Amino acid sequence: KISLFLSDKKHRKMEKKMENEEEMKGRYIASMVLAGVGDSLGYNNGLWEFNYSGQTIHEEFEKAGGIEKIDLYNRKVSDDQTMHLATSSALTEKTKSLDQLFQKMAEKYVKSFEDMKGRGPGPTTALSIQRLRSGVLWHKIPYAEGGGGCGGAMRAMCIGLLFPLEIHEKILIEVSIESGRMTHNHPTGFFGAMVAALFTAYAIRGIPTVEWGRRMLAGPLTKAEDFVAGSSKKRDASHYQKDLYYFRNAWVKYLDSRKIAGTETTATFPEIYGVNERDQYYKSISYRGWGGASGHDAVIIAYDAILGSGPLFKELVYRGVLHGGDNDSTGIICCAWYGALFGFGDAPSNLFNTVEKREEAADQG
């Protein structure tokens, strides 16, 4: 009715704004829902997450009907999406300070462990949740020599949905690091959470994927390192110092390998880069031979997958989900980024309509 009193030019401008808002809303929902799809597909009730042969996983996937026919009715989401939804739930509640937000986040993570049967939570996360449950404060979780895992990264993408703009970068860095640090108090672990959130923000802003890695190295990672150095004056300074640059070095090496460290507009992949070659590569960049299980390689593999697949969801699944590493973690990350970039794109409805916790994820989006 209001449009009756507007000029044609203003009417078109309002319609365009409404279309843009609707399109953006769809991308937010898709990011949350497709995160569950990537998680559920990779996890396959534990059968594929802990299957170290990508070739075997691909064969079983095709036997089950492939991308167009497989459904997720009887496939749980793992601890990854369960905790990702806990992060999102904390972010959407009213809090008056960051301290209150982090306390709420810790409470949500503890609560999420009431729904962990058959979801395969990692030992580092489980130990930290036990400490939080026993009364240890969120900022008192001790440094962990083995805390460089991907448990912080796998649940941080939605932080980038709440803080998508460049002006939000400082708070995105702090919130993502602290969200990861309360279970994975190790730079490799909580920097993985920062990148998972940051690249979601880049996706929402429509920044070309080829630029994500070098943008992160050029500014946000340095700010994250400075934030950690500052906060570590009161916390774990000596431990952080020896681990601080492992994450950066892994990313520098990766960008060089894909020839996108400068101003290049296209990533360079090996001529032959099939299932077995990807398994070998993912293993080669891992910390202990299980590709995607750490904070650095979970986000590198997810990034490698979205770089190589573009808007093709099937190709994204092949590269980022169906491999012999920690595939539910790389899967949840790359599929959340895909949704933030393309909405549901060409993802088959048999997947996103049947994934567990779909309604909760859509509501959180």
Side-chain angles (χ1 to χ4, degrees):
K1 293 179 181 179
I2 294 175
S3 64
L4 293 174
F5 300 95
L6 298 176
S7 67
D8 288 345
K9 184 177 180 180
K10 288 183 177 180
H11 190 188
R12 287 194 298 271
K13 187 175 181 180
M14 177 177 280
E15 284 184 332
K16 184 68 175 176
K17 182 180 178 182
M18 291 173 66
E19 288 172 5
N20 289 343
E21 289 176 351
E22 195 65 26
E23 186 260 348
M24 185 61 72
K25 180 180 178 181
R27 286 163 61 194
Y28 270 65
I29 292 172
S31 182
M32 293 300 296
V33 173
L34 290 180
V37 170
D39 177 31
S40 178
L41 272 177
Y43 185 55
N44 190 19
N45 295 328
L47 296 177
W48 286 349
E49 181 184 8
F50 304 106
N51 184 328
Y52 306 122
S53 168
Q55 188 64 50
T56 300
I57 292 170
H58 273 257
E59 290 170 1
E60 292 179 359
F61 179 73
E62 295 305 327
K63 285 181 181 177
I67 196 82
E68 299 292 347
K69 293 184 179 179
I70 198 169
D71 68 59
L72 303 177
Y73 279 120
N74 297 312
R75 298 171 188 246
K76 287 177 175 281
V77 295
S78 77
D79 59 316
D80 298 24
Q81 177 73 332
T82 304
M83 296 194 76
H84 186 220
L85 292 171
T87 304
S88 179
S89 179
L91 292 172
T92 54
E93 290 203 7
K94 288 185 178 180
T95 50
K96 296 181 179 180
S97 67
L98 286 180
D99 184 74
Q100 284 187 10
L101 170 62
F102 297 141
Q103 182 56 44
K104 179 62 65 176
M105 208 172 273
E107 292 170 5
K108 295 288 186 179
Y109 291 154
V110 170
K111 180 74 174 175
S112 74
F113 261 61
E114 296 175 7
D115 185 26
M116 281 296 163
K117 185 176 181 180
R119 302 193 191 279
T124 301
T125 302
L127 177 59
S128 294
I129 294 300
Q130 183 180 347
R131 286 173 168 148
L132 291 170
R133 185 184 287 119
S134 69
V136 176
L137 297 176
W138 64 266
H139 53 86
K140 295 291 186 180
I141 295 296
Y143 167 84
E145 187 72 43
C150 64
M154 71 189 193
R155 61 175 191 257
M157 292 76 69
C158 58
I159 297 170
L161 296 178
L162 185 61
F163 305 113
L165 303 180
E166 190 170 0
I167 59 172
H168 299 143
E169 200 168 89
K170 183 177 182 291
I171 192 170
L172 179 148
I173 289 169
E174 184 172 351
V175 171
S176 58
I177 285 177
E178 295 297 8
S179 76
R181 183 152 58 170
M182 64 180 73
T183 59
H184 288 70
N185 188 5
H186 186 289
T188 305
F190 53 67
F191 285 156
M194 188 274 289
V195 170
L198 181 69
F199 285 8
T200 307
Y202 285 172
I204 289 296
R205 278 151 59 188
I207 294 172
T209 54
V210 73
E211 297 180 17
W212 292 3
R214 59 186 182 241
R215 275 179 178 252
M216 177 269 295
L217 286 181
L221 184 57
T222 300
K223 293 176 183 177
E225 291 164 350
D226 291 344
F227 170 75
V228 170
S231 64
S232 68
K233 291 176 182 177
K234 301 178 181 178
R235 184 179 182 186
D236 304 313
S238 61
H239 294 301
Y240 289 160
Q241 194 57 42
K242 66 184 178 67
D243 298 320
L244 200 58
Y245 298 107
Y246 177 85
F247 189 90
R248 173 181 289 275
N249 292 338
W251 269 94
V252 168
K253 186 176 181 181
Y254 171 75
L255 294 180
D256 285 342
S257 75
R258 292 288 175 261
K259 296 182 172 57
I260 51 173
T263 59
E264 299 86 354
T265 57
T266 306
T268 301
F269 289 90
E271 280 189 32
I272 301 175
Y273 198 48
V275 178
N276 293 327
E277 289 77 21
R278 291 195 295 270
D279 267 6
Q280 291 170 14
Y281 177 67
Y282 297 169
K283 186 175 181 178
S284 76
I285 63 172
S286 69
Y287 183 63
R288 289 181 177 169
W290 193 23
S294 297
H296 72 292
D297 57 344
V299 287
I300 287 176
I301 291 169
Y303 183 54
D304 195 65
I306 206 158
L307 269 179
S309 60
L312 304 177
F313 188 77
K314 179 179 180 179
E315 187 66 19
L316 182 76
V317 168
Y318 283 172
R319 290 171 178 252
V321 185
L322 305 179
H323 61 83
D326 192 352
N327 48 22
D328 60 339
S329 298
T330 60
I332 190 174
I333 296 168
C334 70
C335 288
W337 293 343
Y338 179 97
L341 264 176
F342 305 112
F344 287 102
D346 67 351
S349 61
N350 52 289
L351 294 176
F352 60 76
N353 281 338
T354 62
V355 66
E356 187 192 14
K357 298 183 184 289
R358 183 196 189 286
E359 291 76 14
E360 182 181 351
D363 287 345
Q364 293 291 349

